[in-house]
Amino acid sequence: MPGLLRGVARTAVVAGTATAVSNRVSRRQAGRWAQQDVAATERYAPPPATAPAPPAPPAPGDDMSSKIAQLKELGQLKEEGILTEEEFAAQKSRILAS
């Protein structure tokens, strides 16, 4: 019986050691894969988004065309009697000042 007990004890020690080593290798490998994933993510990540450029100021011709269109519309409103002479003058000066 003592020989059998020694054999069982030896098997238990070997199995326990193998399990401990296997777990350690698994944890270390998982850590390496995690580091590789982080490195790959950083390497292939899209560049950080930048703020969009502000809209370009209107070209001088476009601004003048816009003012002329506004003044024509204002003149039509005055002719139709919707605007008084004072309101027309105030809006006209506002458009020309901008």
Side-chain angles (χ1 to χ4, degrees), residues 27-75:
R27 282 192 304 270
R28 187 173 53 203
Q29 189 64 39
R32 286 182 183 168
W33 287 343
Q35 287 175 350
Q36 287 176 355
D37 287 345
V38 169
T41 302
E42 290 173 355
R43 186 179 322 138
Y44 297 112
T50 57
D62 292 342
D63 188 40
M64 186 57 76
S65 299
S66 173
K67 286 182 181 182
I68 290 172
Q70 288 177 346
L71 289 173
K72 284 182 180 179
E73 187 176 326
L74 200 60

Side-chain angles (χ1 to χ4, degrees), residues 63 66-75 77 83 85-98:
D63 188 40
S66 173
K67 286 182 181 182
I68 290 172
Q70 288 177 346
L71 289 173
K72 284 182 180 179
E73 187 176 326
L74 200 60
L77 292 173
L83 291 177
E85 187 65 39
E86 294 82 22
E87 292 171 332
F88 174 77
Q91 291 298 323
K92 177 181 160 186
S93 63
R94 181 189 60 83
I95 292 170
L96 293 175
S98 63

